[in-house]
Each structure stands twice: as structure tokens, then as C-alpha cells.
Amino acid sequence: HSLDAFILDTDHDNIRVFREALNGPPGRHTKRSVFQEIDFFTSGNANVKHNTIAREKLGIEKMSRPNVGGGERGKKQIPPHYWLEYLDIQPQRQLDMLDILHISAARDAETHDSNFSSFFWNISQNVSKEKHRSAVPGIAGCISPGGEFFVTNLGRPLLGSEKLLVQGIPYFRLALGSESEVELGDLAGNAMSLTVVCATMLAALTCHQLRTECPH
């Protein structure tokens, strides 16, 4: 199955609750904190060089923002399916990374418009480590604790419950309490995918027979 098979419907309760949190007091508080940060490119942040080098290699102008945008006072011009409330709480590094990866996909030998392809981008990584070419549309990468995974054709992050589904763990069968989406995501990142578990169990069950049939 492709990544789309594990995505929740747009009217699912988990998505509704998450978006309400982004638009509510927690989201507004984070948004204010992000708007008060100094400019990323003049901040002396150690990650600036990764974004700058990536832009130079691709021939992208420093202030080019073709997909996410970002003008004065944080004004953004984004594709209509993107979650504005989610992008408003993202630091400039992540926003710039989305633009760089979008341009990379468009300029590749096999051109893709990321807005219509289900790319799976880990925007918690540096842009030098997350390549669009390693992200095949419809294929999810490694789920790691604390990872921030952006699904381009949905314009939103992969929720914690969806991360569990990708790992082969049906979250709706778990005895969960009031865990947040972040905690569910960490749980999925610390888990082992079902395919790996099945392969390990199969290998363990066949070891005795294999040793009997092939003693040497």
C-alpha cells in the first residue's frame, strides 16, 4: 500500500481536534513566539549554511519563495490546500526548506509538482540531509521520535495516529489515554514496524529446523 492508504479522512475527529488546537490558545501562543524570532538568515544560526549552500547548488535566489512565500510581517502566499495555521507556527528554517525541496522536485530530471505528489519530507532534518530524490511519491521514510513529517499533497504534517498506522500499529485498538499527537508520534518512532517484527519472528521460528537440516 502507498502512504495515502494510511492517511485519515479530512473530516476525521483526530484531524479536527488537531486543527482546533492549532487555531486555539496553544497554536496562537506558539505563533507569537515564532513571529518574535529574529530573521533566520541573519541570526547566525548554525543551520543557515545548509540552507544557503542548498540554494546556491540549485541556483535559487536567496529571497525566492515560490511555494510557501513569506513577505513582510510573516505574510504567506501558500497553495490552497496547505494548512496556514500549521505553517504559522513553523520557524523560518522549515519554511525555507519546504521551498527548496519543492523547487528541487520541479527541476529534477523526472519533474514532480510536490503539491500534487504525496512526498514525505522530514522537515526536522537539515535540508542537506533530506533530499527530494530519496522521497519517492507515496513512500514513507523512517519514522523517528520527534520527527516532523510533511505530506506535500495534503499540505499538512503526518499526525501521530497516522505514524502508528504507517508502522502497522492500529492505534484504535490500543488502550490509549489522553496522549497528545506528539506523544503518539514519539510512540510510533520508538516502535518497530510490523514487517520487521514478522521477519524477525519467522527467522527465529525457522532457526531450529534450519540447523537440523543443515548441521554444517
Side-chain angles (χ1 to χ4, degrees), residues 14 18 159-163 179-186:
N14 289 18
F18 188 71
L159 302 189
S161 50
E162 292 171 327
K163 294 176 185 178
E179 288 82 3
S180 66
E181 286 296 330
V182 174
E183 291 169 335
L184 290 177
D186 289 342

Side-chain angles (χ1 to χ4, degrees), residues 28 55 57 65 74 107 165 176 192 194-196 210:
R28 291 196 295 269
R55 283 181 168 272
K57 287 183 177 180
R65 303 286 187 273
R107 291 186 176 181
L165 290 176
L176 298 173
M192 189 179 293
L194 187 62
T195 51
V196 176
L210 183 62

Side-chain angles (χ1 to χ4, degrees), residues 5-215:
F6 303 96
I7 298 297
L8 300 177
D9 294 332
T10 55
D11 59 350
H12 196 280
D13 284 344
N14 289 18
I15 292 181
R16 176 184 57 78
V17 171
F18 188 71
R19 297 197 75 170
E20 286 177 354
L22 292 176
N23 287 301
R28 291 196 295 269
H29 175 74
T30 306
K31 181 179 177 180
R32 283 194 295 269
S33 299
V34 170
F35 280 7
Q36 290 171 0
E37 293 179 355
I38 60 176
D39 182 71
F40 170 67
F41 287 99
T42 60
S43 63
N45 190 304
N47 293 314
V48 173
K49 64 179 181 180
H50 296 283
N51 291 52
T52 303
I53 292 173
R55 283 181 168 272
E56 290 175 352
K57 287 183 177 180
L58 291 166
I60 308 172
E61 295 181 5
K62 182 178 179 180
M63 300 308 296
S64 177
R65 303 286 187 273
N67 200 46
V68 175
E72 295 180 357
R73 301 181 184 275
K75 184 178 180 181
K76 301 178 181 66
Q77 295 179 342
I78 61 174
H81 66 287
Y82 272 37
W83 285 12
L84 179 60
E85 63 270 29
Y86 171 74
L87 296 182
D88 277 344
I89 65 172
Q90 296 304 309
Q92 282 183 295
R93 185 190 69 80
Q94 278 90 324
L95 297 178
D96 189 58
M97 182 175 178
L98 288 175
D99 273 324
I100 292 173
L101 293 175
H102 172 74
I103 295 174
S104 299
R107 291 186 176 181
D108 200 6
E110 185 179 337
T111 301
H112 291 281
D113 185 341
S114 66
N115 293 321
F116 300 95
S117 301
S118 54
F119 281 119
F120 178 91
W121 290 339
N122 184 359
I123 59 174
S124 57
Q125 289 275 17
N126 282 321
V127 69
S128 59
K129 295 182 179 180
E130 185 66 15
K131 303 296 184 182
H132 79 280
R133 290 183 182 87
S134 63
V136 180
I139 303 298
C142 178
I143 303 291
S144 57
E148 191 79 14
F149 306 102
F150 191 80
V151 185
T152 56
N153 65 321
L154 300 177
R156 67 169 177 85
L158 196 70
L159 302 189
S161 50
E162 292 171 327
K163 294 176 185 178
L164 287 171
L165 290 176
V166 170
Q167 290 283 57
I169 304 172
Y171 70 92
F172 44 83
R173 295 183 183 177
L174 302 178
L176 298 173
S178 57
E179 288 82 3
S180 66
E181 286 296 330
V182 174
E183 291 169 335
L184 290 177
D186 289 342
L187 176 63
N190 284 317
M192 189 179 293
S193 64
L194 187 62
T195 51
V196 176
V197 173
C198 289
T200 305
M201 291 178 64
L202 183 62
L205 291 171
T206 57
C207 276
H208 178 71
Q209 182 179 355
L210 183 62
R211 185 175 183 179
T212 303
E213 295 178 356
C214 305

